[in-house]
Amino acid sequence: MIREKELRFALVCYGGISLAVYMHGITKEIWRLVCASRAFHDGTPPAGGSQGVYAELLTEIETQGGLRVRVLADIIAGASAGGINGIFLGQAIATGQSLDPLTDLWLTAADVEALIDTGSAPQSRFSKVWALPLAWVAAGRSAEKVEALDDTTRDEVRSKLSHFIRSRWFEPPFGGASFTNRLLDAFDAMAASTRGPRLLPPGQPLDLFVTVTDFSGHPERLELNSPPEVVETEHRLVFDFTDDGHGVDSLAPLAELAFAARATSSFPGAFPPFTVAELDGVLTDRGIAWPERAAFLARALPRQSAAGAAETAVLIDGSVLANAPFRPALDALKDRPARRQIDRRIVYIDPSPGVKLTLNRGQGTPGFFQTIVGAISDIPRQQPIRDNLEAIAERSARIDRMRGIVVAIRPQVESEVESLFGHTLFLDRPTPARLVAWRRRSQKAAIASAGYGYAAYGHLKRSNVVDAVAALLHQSGAEHSAHRLARIRAAVDAVDMDEVDFLRRFDIGFRIRRLRLIARRLADIEVEIGEPELAPMRETIYESLAPYLDARRADTHADLGRTAGTGDIAPLLDTLAASLDLAAIDAAADIRLAAGFAALGKRARRTLLLAYLGFPYFDTATLPLLQGEGLDEFDPIKVDRIAPDDATAIRSGGVEATLKGIQFNSFGAFFSRAYRENDYLWGRLHGAERMIDITVSTLPSSVRMKPGRVAAIKRAAFIAILDEEEPRLTAIRALFAELRTEIG
């Protein structure tokens, strides 16, 4: 019997300056694996190259392991160069557009001659020629020691570095507007490509997060005991985009995607800081309208917009303060729909692990300039991710504990439900009216059984609902300060309202947790019952779940909270209750679920009804532990890294043995087409190797592939990539010969 599993990626893409070209190769392989998975599940022929190898791998897993794996990438968070690649990947996944057109743009446009601002270029070959040796000193090497693939490449690097170092001093050498134009060119090239289907199932949202640094900062109020309030300056910004699980022509207006890409990659000293005026000028020159401009600025720069300062906000590279943006990816895990067993991976791309703080190179006490540059640039952007990994491990441990609790108390809960209803319950045909009556009876029994423990549970549940209602009112308003959220929360909590009526009108979380519990129970018994019988019920559960998830989104209730303050909030609650209309959603869900239960066989119906009616008992035990977290995907999270050090099937030695872009403090690929071709090709090869490793690792231990078979699959992918890229990458002919020999 075939079981189903979803392998879901939450991607975290680091900054890397010119190593963006390497990361493009990696994200291209992620995209190809997701494309192959979509074709495999749709029953359509896969494309050639490595995509065909991935399709064969998925087929082999199904035929030999009895597991039908679907690979999804539904969360992307990136900073700087990783932010650019994340934006392009997100656009491809949401729209079905191709990433292939980007390769030529990366290889040609990511060149110092194309990036350098025309006003910054040297006026003659003698301009600041005396300064040339400083570039080699800054890079820690002499002109004779440039690492190059051949003499032609060495001459190219010398010439372009000379041009770069003799450009305008004390102003960024790269042009901001010209780079923005190239970003828009890239989006246009994607839009003109052959378009396939959206690469996520209907209802599965794609969430994209891009970090940016607000140079001037914006004030944030903090509440203390004394003084009651203080103001601090916040510099971190996160731009977020989502398709809400629906097919779109573009993940967002192209102006907004270009805004985020240009802002996150404004590397200090290389590019000028980004401003709204720069984008306005580019859009005007290209004749592109941006009707959503005001709404976007209010959402992306809420504090600046409220102060009338969005037009003058100065934005710089996102990796200055958040080079490894795990937090947005972790926050997005909440409320992810789950239709089958989930293997959730946080996959982070670190293009240069271990190559940190190269200014001193371990040679004694750092000098004056080395100390300053390290303190203000290198050290902040290279902080380790231990805190993030510990947070993930703690979350996974809590989920494990909760699952253990559910399993441990299940026999007692099922016994309570059977004694409450009697065995005849499972002989009755469920109807919507009966489901309502059964639920209420079970709820009352759970309250009585919990005793004084229910008081704590009930208080926590109300508190969670108050928080959720306050967040809806807060997020739908114009002001996004934590201080305002606290005021709304206090106002909602102060409203005198019957407890049962309040929860019936606003407790969306309780309904979501109940449906997810029976979805999980359905997955647990899938092996015993069989897929053909359970598939319709699974769809019924998730069709019923979707309206509740939609109701919890702030954009569903736009403008509700704009007037919410410290005054009378009762009318707003009435308006929100009418907008939610949970009674109508409940009635539709009961009709679907009653029909779904009735269609099941006796054994499956009994098991699921025990879980459904036993939910109040389970929720009383687990909500205080996790407060609702983890009941969606309901599985521990695993973390995988993609880096040169992790892909050793072809060549060991990591980044130093494979990448050229690490030279000149990671600016190297800007100075040579051959360097970019080298790094892009290694990105594809490393990406393919790690995608195969991660996909194979989702198999249970009982059906693991033998190492020799995995090696053969990797070899097929490597050869397919070389065959595909050799006609295009003409500057690294010798590397292809070396790689074919090393692959064997």
Side-chain angles (χ1 to χ4, degrees):
M1 190 203 66
I2 303 298
R3 294 184 294 117
E4 289 194 353
K5 176 188 280 190
E6 287 185 2
L7 176 59
R8 294 186 179 179
F9 297 154
L11 297 174
V12 178
C13 306
Y14 285 19
I17 315 177
S18 77
L19 292 176
V21 183
Y22 171 72
M23 286 190 283
H24 168 62
I26 293 174
T27 56
K28 197 170 184 179
E29 287 309 302
I30 296 172
W31 170 71
R32 284 182 173 272
L33 173 58
V34 172
C35 287
S37 177
R38 175 63 193 250
F40 173 68
H41 279 263
D42 288 350
T44 57
S50 60
Q51 192 167 323
V53 177
Y54 298 141
E56 292 174 4
L57 171 60
L58 296 174
T59 302
E60 185 171 335
I61 289 174
E62 179 176 346
T63 56
Q64 296 188 12
L67 186 66
R68 189 173 179 83
V69 177
R70 180 160 192 173
V71 185
L72 309 175
D74 62 339
I75 298 172
I76 303 171
S80 193
I84 295 178
N85 279 292
I87 290 170
F88 286 137
L89 178 61
Q91 179 78 337
I93 291 172
T95 65
Q97 295 173 4
S98 174
L99 278 183
D100 283 329
L102 293 179
T103 301
D104 289 332
L105 285 167
W106 274 119
L107 295 178
T108 57
D111 187 276
V112 67
E113 301 291 351
L115 293 172
I116 202 164
D117 187 62
T118 53
S120 303
Q123 300 304 308
S124 76
R125 63 189 182 92
F126 300 108
S127 298
K128 290 203 296 278
V129 69
W130 53 271
L132 180 58
L134 293 179
W136 307 114
V137 172
R141 63 191 55 156
S142 68
E144 287 72 31
K145 294 181 180 179
V146 176
E147 297 175 13
L149 298 167
D150 50 41
D151 290 340
T152 301
T153 303
R154 181 178 290 106
D155 292 340
E156 178 190 15
V157 173
R158 288 177 177 175
S159 173
K160 290 182 177 178
L161 186 59
S162 172
H163 189 203
F164 175 75
I165 200 65
R166 289 184 293 111
S167 62
R168 182 175 58 200
W169 276 34
F170 303 116
E171 290 188 40
F174 294 156
S178 59
F179 187 49
T180 302
N181 270 299
R182 294 191 180 279
L183 290 170
L184 290 168
D185 289 342
F187 288 118
D188 289 343
M190 287 182 65
S193 66
T194 302
R195 186 166 177 169
R198 183 176 181 269
L199 298 179
L200 290 170
Q204 184 75 24
L206 172 75
D207 289 317
L208 168 68
F209 304 93
V210 181
T211 64
V212 175
T213 304
D214 179 1
F215 185 78
S216 301
H218 54 277
E220 288 287 352
R221 295 186 181 94
L222 301 178
E223 292 185 346
L224 306 178
N225 178 55
S226 63
E229 182 179 279
V230 297
V231 177
E232 288 195 345
T233 302
E234 176 63 76
H235 295 270
R236 294 169 297 179
L237 292 173
V238 177
F239 296 159
D240 61 282
F241 304 91
T242 183
D243 64 2
D244 292 322
H246 309 299
V248 293
D249 291 330
S250 180
L251 183 57
L254 295 186
E256 296 173 13
L257 296 178
F259 185 110
R262 170 67 179 88
T264 192
S265 59
S266 298
F267 191 85
F271 287 98
F274 175 72
T275 62
V276 179
E278 177 189 296
L279 180 60
D280 287 340
V282 171
L283 296 177
T284 298
D285 291 343
R286 296 173 73 105
I288 298 176
W290 187 12
E292 307 88 355
R293 180 181 185 277
F296 173 75
L297 293 179
R299 179 173 67 86
L301 304 170
R303 299 292 291 173
Q304 296 88 335
S305 296
E311 305 285 344
T312 58
V314 176
L315 307 179
I316 62 174
D317 195 284
S319 67
V320 170
L321 296 177
N323 189 51
F326 278 81
R327 182 60 183 270
L330 287 173
D331 290 343
L333 290 177
K334 190 176 181 180
D335 295 336
R336 309 305 289 183
R339 291 173 172 78
R340 52 191 56 82
Q341 183 183 2
I342 303 299
D343 185 350
R344 166 62 72 181
R345 307 295 180 94
I346 300 273
V347 180
Y348 71 97
I349 303 175
D350 185 355
S352 57
V355 184
K356 315 296 185 188
L357 297 179
T358 56
L359 286 171
N360 190 40
R361 299 182 181 276
Q363 302 298 318
T365 303
F368 176 75
F369 287 108
Q370 291 172 330
T371 303
I372 292 176
V373 173
I376 66 177
S377 178
D378 282 13
I379 291 177
R381 74 175 63 242
Q382 303 296 358
Q383 281 299 291
I385 61 171
R386 182 186 302 113
D387 292 347
N388 297 302
L389 296 183
E390 289 176 350
I392 294 171
E394 173 59 24
R395 182 183 187 276
S396 296
R398 291 199 309 271
I399 292 173
D400 268 337
R401 287 196 296 269
M402 185 183 66
R403 292 176 64 181
I405 290 172
V406 170
V407 172
I409 68 175
R410 182 177 293 140
Q412 184 177 352
V413 170
E414 291 181 348
S415 176
E416 288 276 348
V417 174
E418 285 187 328
S419 64
L420 180 65
F421 291 97
H423 293 285
T424 58
L425 164 71
F426 308 109
L427 301 178
D428 292 336
R429 178 182 177 85
T431 65
R434 283 175 176 165
L435 284 184
V436 172
W438 291 346
R439 281 202 310 265
R440 291 179 178 174
R441 187 176 177 185
S442 177
Q443 181 74 31
K444 291 179 180 179
I447 294 173
S449 177
Y452 66 83
Y454 192 84
Y457 164 76
H459 179 78
L460 175 61
K461 185 162 72 163
R462 177 186 166 87
S463 178
N464 286 348
V465 175
V466 168
D467 288 349
V469 170
L472 280 174
L473 297 175
H474 163 67
Q475 292 168 10
S476 61
E479 187 182 348
H480 287 68
S481 69
H483 183 68
R484 178 178 182 272
L485 175 58
R487 293 201 319 267
I488 296 175
R489 182 183 292 116
V492 173
D493 201 28
V495 173
D496 184 16
M497 185 180 296
D498 177 78
E499 188 74 17
V500 174
D501 183 55
F502 176 73
L503 295 177
R504 185 173 293 141
R505 296 172 73 193
F506 297 110
D507 196 354
I508 308 173
F510 182 85
R511 295 155 164 99
I512 291 173
R513 295 194 300 273
R514 180 171 58 211
L515 287 170
R516 284 178 168 155
L517 177 73
I518 64 170
R520 181 66 194 188
R521 189 66 180 124
L522 195 70
D524 290 340
I525 65 173
E526 194 169 29
V527 175
E528 304 172 16
I529 303 299
E531 172 66 17
E533 184 180 355
L534 295 182
M537 185 61 187
R538 186 173 59 218
E539 295 304 316
T540 294
I541 293 171
Y542 286 100
E543 286 175 9
S544 302
L545 180 61
Y548 293 117
L549 294 175
D550 288 341
R552 196 149 70 173
R553 293 205 326 265
D555 57 355
T556 308
H557 319 286
D559 299 329
L560 269 176
R562 290 191 182 278
T563 59
T566 56
D568 185 10
I569 209 165
L572 276 175
L573 289 179
D574 291 337
T575 305
L576 176 60
S579 180
L580 291 172
D581 199 6
L582 292 184
I585 300 177
D586 290 342
D590 288 339
I591 293 173
R592 280 191 293 265
L593 290 171
F597 280 125
L600 290 172
K602 181 178 178 180
R603 182 183 176 191
R605 185 192 311 162
R606 177 185 181 278
T607 302
L608 289 185
L609 275 174
L610 285 172
Y612 183 74
L613 298 177
F615 170 72
Y617 298 88
F618 291 117
D619 200 47
T620 302
T622 59
L623 184 67
L625 177 63
L626 288 187
Q627 300 190 14
E629 183 185 1
L631 280 165
D632 39 16
E633 295 182 352
F634 207 72
D635 287 287
I637 300 169
K638 300 174 184 176
V639 181
D640 299 288
R641 185 180 74 169
I642 301 179
D645 294 10
D646 310 317
T648 58
I650 300 176
R651 182 182 296 178
S652 60
V655 64
E656 296 285 354
T658 54
L659 303 187
K660 300 300 181 183
I662 62 170
Q663 298 187 48
F664 310 115
N665 208 22
S666 295
F667 277 81
F670 292 146
F671 297 105
S672 169
R673 164 91 184 200
Y675 281 9
R676 294 192 293 280
E677 291 188 4
N678 175 90
D679 289 3
Y680 162 69
L681 181 60
W682 277 112
R684 287 203 62 184
L685 295 171
H686 288 168
E689 179 175 350
R690 295 298 289 137
M691 286 298 98
I692 293 170
D693 285 336
I694 294 171
T695 302
V696 170
S697 72
T698 198
L699 286 168
S701 57
S702 59
V703 291
R704 290 286 189 195
M705 286 187 173
K706 295 181 178 180
R709 179 58 190 143
V710 176
I713 295 170
K714 291 181 180 179
R715 180 179 181 275
F718 297 154
I719 293 174
I721 291 170
L722 295 181
D723 290 344
E724 180 183 355
E725 295 294 351
E726 192 163 13
R728 168 165 44 195
L729 307 181
T730 57
I732 52 171
R733 298 282 191 199
L735 179 60
F736 279 93
E738 293 175 14
L739 289 172
R740 291 188 186 278
T741 300
E742 293 179 56
I743 291 169

PDB file of all heavy atoms in Angstrom, residues 546-569:
ATOM      1  N   ALA A 546     -10.081  25.138   5.877  1.00  0.00           N
ATOM      2  CA  ALA A 546      -9.667  26.328   5.131  1.00  0.00           C
ATOM      3  C   ALA A 546     -10.426  27.598   5.525  1.00  0.00           C
ATOM      4  O   ALA A 546      -9.815  28.656   5.717  1.00  0.00           O
ATOM      5  CB  ALA A 546      -9.787  26.065   3.633  1.00  0.00           C
ATOM      6  N   PRO A 547     -11.774  27.556   5.669  1.00  0.00           N
ATOM      7  CA  PRO A 547     -12.469  28.807   6.043  1.00  0.00           C
ATOM      8  C   PRO A 547     -12.061  29.341   7.406  1.00  0.00           C
ATOM      9  O   PRO A 547     -12.028  30.554   7.622  1.00  0.00           O
ATOM     10  CB  PRO A 547     -13.945  28.398   6.032  1.00  0.00           C
ATOM     11  CG  PRO A 547     -14.016  27.197   5.138  1.00  0.00           C
ATOM     12  CD  PRO A 547     -12.730  26.471   5.358  1.00  0.00           C
ATOM     13  N   TYR A 548     -11.733  28.464   8.346  1.00  0.00           N
ATOM     14  CA  TYR A 548     -11.280  28.937   9.651  1.00  0.00           C
ATOM     15  C   TYR A 548      -9.925  29.625   9.542  1.00  0.00           C
ATOM     16  O   TYR A 548      -9.677  30.653  10.185  1.00  0.00           O
ATOM     17  CB  TYR A 548     -11.193  27.772  10.630  1.00  0.00           C
ATOM     18  CG  TYR A 548     -12.526  27.153  11.001  1.00  0.00           C
ATOM     19  CD1 TYR A 548     -12.815  25.835  10.686  1.00  0.00           C
ATOM     20  CD2 TYR A 548     -13.496  27.896  11.663  1.00  0.00           C
ATOM     21  CE1 TYR A 548     -14.033  25.263  11.027  1.00  0.00           C
ATOM     22  CE2 TYR A 548     -14.724  27.337  12.005  1.00  0.00           C
ATOM     23  CZ  TYR A 548     -14.991  26.025  11.682  1.00  0.00           C
ATOM     24  OH  TYR A 548     -16.199  25.469  12.017  1.00  0.00           O
ATOM     25  N   LEU A 549      -9.029  29.035   8.744  1.00  0.00           N
ATOM     26  CA  LEU A 549      -7.722  29.662   8.546  1.00  0.00           C
ATOM     27  C   LEU A 549      -7.867  31.019   7.870  1.00  0.00           C
ATOM     28  O   LEU A 549      -7.177  31.985   8.216  1.00  0.00           O
ATOM     29  CB  LEU A 549      -6.824  28.749   7.721  1.00  0.00           C
ATOM     30  CG  LEU A 549      -6.422  27.419   8.372  1.00  0.00           C
ATOM     31  CD1 LEU A 549      -5.624  26.563   7.401  1.00  0.00           C
ATOM     32  CD2 LEU A 549      -5.626  27.654   9.636  1.00  0.00           C
ATOM     33  N   ASP A 550      -8.766  31.098   6.888  1.00  0.00           N
ATOM     34  CA  ASP A 550      -9.003  32.383   6.227  1.00  0.00           C
ATOM     35  C   ASP A 550      -9.550  33.413   7.217  1.00  0.00           C
ATOM     36  O   ASP A 550      -9.181  34.591   7.179  1.00  0.00           O
ATOM     37  CB  ASP A 550      -9.984  32.208   5.064  1.00  0.00           C
ATOM     38  CG  ASP A 550      -9.352  31.481   3.886  1.00  0.00           C
ATOM     39  OD1 ASP A 550      -8.110  31.436   3.816  1.00  0.00           O
ATOM     40  OD2 ASP A 550     -10.100  30.938   3.060  1.00  0.00           O
ATOM     41  N   ALA A 551     -10.437  32.958   8.096  1.00  0.00           N
ATOM     42  CA  ALA A 551     -11.053  33.887   9.046  1.00  0.00           C
ATOM     43  C   ALA A 551     -10.030  34.462  10.005  1.00  0.00           C
ATOM     44  O   ALA A 551     -10.210  35.576  10.515  1.00  0.00           O
ATOM     45  CB  ALA A 551     -12.158  33.172   9.829  1.00  0.00           C
ATOM     46  N   ARG A 552      -8.937  33.728  10.250  1.00  0.00           N
ATOM     47  CA  ARG A 552      -7.938  34.206  11.199  1.00  0.00           C
ATOM     48  C   ARG A 552      -6.957  35.179  10.561  1.00  0.00           C
ATOM     49  O   ARG A 552      -6.116  35.753  11.251  1.00  0.00           O
ATOM     50  CB  ARG A 552      -7.187  33.008  11.795  1.00  0.00           C
ATOM     51  CG  ARG A 552      -6.422  33.378  13.028  1.00  0.00           C
ATOM     52  CD  ARG A 552      -6.296  32.256  14.017  1.00  0.00           C
ATOM     53  NE  ARG A 552      -5.429  31.187  13.556  1.00  0.00           N
ATOM     54  CZ  ARG A 552      -5.069  30.164  14.337  1.00  0.00           C
ATOM     55  NH1 ARG A 552      -5.504  30.101  15.579  1.00  0.00           N
ATOM     56  NH2 ARG A 552      -4.290  29.220  13.872  1.00  0.00           N
ATOM     57  N   ARG A 553      -7.036  35.386   9.228  1.00  0.00           N
ATOM     58  CA  ARG A 553      -6.130  36.330   8.571  1.00  0.00           C
ATOM     59  C   ARG A 553      -6.660  37.747   8.702  1.00  0.00           C
ATOM     60  O   ARG A 553      -7.848  38.002   8.507  1.00  0.00           O
ATOM     61  CB  ARG A 553      -5.981  35.984   7.087  1.00  0.00           C
ATOM     62  CG  ARG A 553      -5.278  34.685   6.798  1.00  0.00           C
ATOM     63  CD  ARG A 553      -4.648  34.720   5.412  1.00  0.00           C
ATOM     64  NE  ARG A 553      -5.415  35.488   4.474  1.00  0.00           N
ATOM     65  CZ  ARG A 553      -6.317  34.968   3.621  1.00  0.00           C
ATOM     66  NH1 ARG A 553      -6.562  33.696   3.631  1.00  0.00           N
ATOM     67  NH2 ARG A 553      -6.941  35.746   2.769  1.00  0.00           N
ATOM     68  N   ALA A 554      -5.764  38.664   8.988  1.00  0.00           N
ATOM     69  CA  ALA A 554      -6.162  40.052   9.192  1.00  0.00           C
ATOM     70  C   ALA A 554      -6.714  40.681   7.924  1.00  0.00           C
ATOM     71  O   ALA A 554      -7.628  41.511   7.977  1.00  0.00           O
ATOM     72  CB  ALA A 554      -4.982  40.871   9.706  1.00  0.00           C
ATOM     73  N   ASP A 555      -6.165  40.286   6.742  1.00  0.00           N
ATOM     74  CA  ASP A 555      -6.611  40.942   5.513  1.00  0.00           C
ATOM     75  C   ASP A 555      -8.052  40.573   5.164  1.00  0.00           C
ATOM     76  O   ASP A 555      -8.671  41.202   4.318  1.00  0.00           O
ATOM     77  CB  ASP A 555      -5.673  40.611   4.346  1.00  0.00           C
ATOM     78  CG  ASP A 555      -5.551  39.113   4.097  1.00  0.00           C
ATOM     79  OD1 ASP A 555      -6.109  38.329   4.882  1.00  0.00           O
ATOM     80  OD2 ASP A 555      -4.886  38.739   3.121  1.00  0.00           O
ATOM     81  N   THR A 556      -8.594  39.531   5.823  1.00  0.00           N
ATOM     82  CA  THR A 556      -9.995  39.187   5.608  1.00  0.00           C
ATOM     83  C   THR A 556     -10.914  40.216   6.248  1.00  0.00           C
ATOM     84  O   THR A 556     -12.071  40.355   5.865  1.00  0.00           O
ATOM     85  CB  THR A 556     -10.289  37.786   6.190  1.00  0.00           C
ATOM     86  OG1 THR A 556      -9.333  36.861   5.672  1.00  0.00           O
ATOM     87  CG2 THR A 556     -11.685  37.305   5.818  1.00  0.00           C
ATOM     88  N   HIS A 557     -10.418  40.933   7.213  1.00  0.00           N
ATOM     89  CA  HIS A 557     -11.219  41.902   7.954  1.00  0.00           C
ATOM     90  C   HIS A 557     -10.565  43.281   7.876  1.00  0.00           C
ATOM     91  O   HIS A 557     -10.349  43.950   8.890  1.00  0.00           O
ATOM     92  CB  HIS A 557     -11.364  41.463   9.404  1.00  0.00           C
ATOM     93  CG  HIS A 557     -11.599  39.999   9.562  1.00  0.00           C
ATOM     94  ND1 HIS A 557     -12.795  39.398   9.272  1.00  0.00           N
ATOM     95  CD2 HIS A 557     -10.754  38.996   9.938  1.00  0.00           C
ATOM     96  CE1 HIS A 557     -12.688  38.088   9.480  1.00  0.00           C
ATOM     97  NE2 HIS A 557     -11.468  37.821   9.873  1.00  0.00           N
ATOM     98  N   ALA A 558     -10.212  43.695   6.680  1.00  0.00           N
ATOM     99  CA  ALA A 558      -9.472  44.941   6.471  1.00  0.00           C
ATOM    100  C   ALA A 558     -10.249  46.130   7.038  1.00  0.00           C
ATOM    101  O   ALA A 558     -11.481  46.189   6.977  1.00  0.00           O
ATOM    102  CB  ALA A 558      -9.227  45.144   4.974  1.00  0.00           C
ATOM    103  N   ASP A 559      -9.482  47.053   7.597  1.00  0.00           N
ATOM    104  CA  ASP A 559      -9.970  48.340   8.101  1.00  0.00           C
ATOM    105  C   ASP A 559     -10.778  48.242   9.395  1.00  0.00           C
ATOM    106  O   ASP A 559     -11.251  49.253   9.893  1.00  0.00           O
ATOM    107  CB  ASP A 559     -10.827  49.070   7.047  1.00  0.00           C
ATOM    108  CG  ASP A 559     -10.041  49.380   5.792  1.00  0.00           C
ATOM    109  OD1 ASP A 559      -8.822  49.602   5.928  1.00  0.00           O
ATOM    110  OD2 ASP A 559     -10.624  49.394   4.703  1.00  0.00           O
ATOM    111  N   LEU A 560     -10.932  47.035   9.947  1.00  0.00           N
ATOM    112  CA  LEU A 560     -11.707  46.937  11.187  1.00  0.00           C
ATOM    113  C   LEU A 560     -11.060  47.710  12.322  1.00  0.00           C
ATOM    114  O   LEU A 560     -11.737  48.333  13.129  1.00  0.00           O
ATOM    115  CB  LEU A 560     -11.837  45.469  11.602  1.00  0.00           C
ATOM    116  CG  LEU A 560     -13.058  44.708  11.075  1.00  0.00           C
ATOM    117  CD1 LEU A 560     -12.962  43.256  11.510  1.00  0.00           C
ATOM    118  CD2 LEU A 560     -14.337  45.323  11.601  1.00  0.00           C
ATOM    119  N   GLY A 561      -9.732  47.636  12.385  1.00  0.00           N
ATOM    120  CA  GLY A 561      -9.066  48.168  13.562  1.00  0.00           C
ATOM    121  C   GLY A 561      -8.514  49.564  13.436  1.00  0.00           C
ATOM    122  O   GLY A 561      -7.790  50.008  14.321  1.00  0.00           O
ATOM    123  N   ARG A 562      -8.783  50.266  12.366  1.00  0.00           N
ATOM    124  CA  ARG A 562      -8.174  51.582  12.191  1.00  0.00           C
ATOM    125  C   ARG A 562      -8.597  52.550  13.297  1.00  0.00           C
ATOM    126  O   ARG A 562      -7.853  53.453  13.655  1.00  0.00           O
ATOM    127  CB  ARG A 562      -8.527  52.160  10.823  1.00  0.00           C
ATOM    128  CG  ARG A 562      -7.856  51.419   9.683  1.00  0.00           C
ATOM    129  CD  ARG A 562      -7.999  52.173   8.381  1.00  0.00           C
ATOM    130  NE  ARG A 562      -7.388  51.439   7.278  1.00  0.00           N
ATOM    131  CZ  ARG A 562      -6.100  51.441   6.996  1.00  0.00           C
ATOM    132  NH1 ARG A 562      -5.273  52.128   7.736  1.00  0.00           N
ATOM    133  NH2 ARG A 562      -5.626  50.741   5.987  1.00  0.00           N
ATOM    134  N   THR A 563      -9.805  52.356  13.818  1.00  0.00           N
ATOM    135  CA  THR A 563     -10.272  53.259  14.864  1.00  0.00           C
ATOM    136  C   THR A 563     -10.177  52.641  16.245  1.00  0.00           C
ATOM    137  O   THR A 563     -10.635  53.230  17.217  1.00  0.00           O
ATOM    138  CB  THR A 563     -11.741  53.655  14.591  1.00  0.00           C
ATOM    139  OG1 THR A 563     -12.539  52.461  14.552  1.00  0.00           O
ATOM    140  CG2 THR A 563     -11.863  54.395  13.284  1.00  0.00           C
ATOM    141  N   ALA A 564      -9.604  51.420  16.335  1.00  0.00           N
ATOM    142  CA  ALA A 564      -9.522  50.751  17.631  1.00  0.00           C
ATOM    143  C   ALA A 564      -8.482  51.441  18.506  1.00  0.00           C
ATOM    144  O   ALA A 564      -7.334  51.556  18.135  1.00  0.00           O
ATOM    145  CB  ALA A 564      -9.160  49.283  17.444  1.00  0.00           C
ATOM    146  N   GLY A 565      -8.880  51.876  19.660  1.00  0.00           N
ATOM    147  CA  GLY A 565      -7.954  52.510  20.589  1.00  0.00           C
ATOM    148  C   GLY A 565      -8.299  52.126  22.001  1.00  0.00           C
ATOM    149  O   GLY A 565      -8.634  50.994  22.292  1.00  0.00           O
ATOM    150  N   THR A 566      -8.266  53.073  22.871  1.00  0.00           N
ATOM    151  CA  THR A 566      -8.573  52.784  24.273  1.00  0.00           C
ATOM    152  C   THR A 566     -10.036  53.038  24.605  1.00  0.00           C
ATOM    153  O   THR A 566     -10.463  52.829  25.728  1.00  0.00           O
ATOM    154  CB  THR A 566      -7.700  53.657  25.183  1.00  0.00           C
ATOM    155  OG1 THR A 566      -7.909  55.031  24.842  1.00  0.00           O
ATOM    156  CG2 THR A 566      -6.230  53.320  25.005  1.00  0.00           C
ATOM    157  N   GLY A 567     -10.821  53.466  23.639  1.00  0.00           N
ATOM    158  CA  GLY A 567     -12.218  53.766  23.892  1.00  0.00           C
ATOM    159  C   GLY A 567     -13.079  52.516  23.880  1.00  0.00           C
ATOM    160  O   GLY A 567     -12.624  51.398  24.087  1.00  0.00           O
ATOM    161  N   ASP A 568     -14.385  52.715  23.624  1.00  0.00           N
ATOM    162  CA  ASP A 568     -15.341  51.608  23.643  1.00  0.00           C
ATOM    163  C   ASP A 568     -15.075  50.678  22.463  1.00  0.00           C
ATOM    164  O   ASP A 568     -15.217  51.062  21.300  1.00  0.00           O
ATOM    165  CB  ASP A 568     -16.762  52.176  23.588  1.00  0.00           C
ATOM    166  CG  ASP A 568     -17.801  51.070  23.728  1.00  0.00           C
ATOM    167  OD1 ASP A 568     -17.393  49.933  24.046  1.00  0.00           O
ATOM    168  OD2 ASP A 568     -18.990  51.343  23.516  1.00  0.00           O
ATOM    169  N   ILE A 569     -14.726  49.445  22.773  1.00  0.00           N
ATOM    170  CA  ILE A 569     -14.366  48.509  21.715  1.00  0.00           C
ATOM    171  C   ILE A 569     -15.484  47.513  21.423  1.00  0.00           C
ATOM    172  O   ILE A 569     -15.398  46.732  20.482  1.00  0.00           O
ATOM    173  CB  ILE A 569     -13.066  47.771  22.095  1.00  0.00           C
ATOM    174  CG1 ILE A 569     -12.293  47.370  20.836  1.00  0.00           C
ATOM    175  CG2 ILE A 569     -13.341  46.541  22.956  1.00  0.00           C
ATOM    176  CD1 ILE A 569     -10.869  46.974  21.127  1.00  0.00           C
TER     177      ILE A 569
END
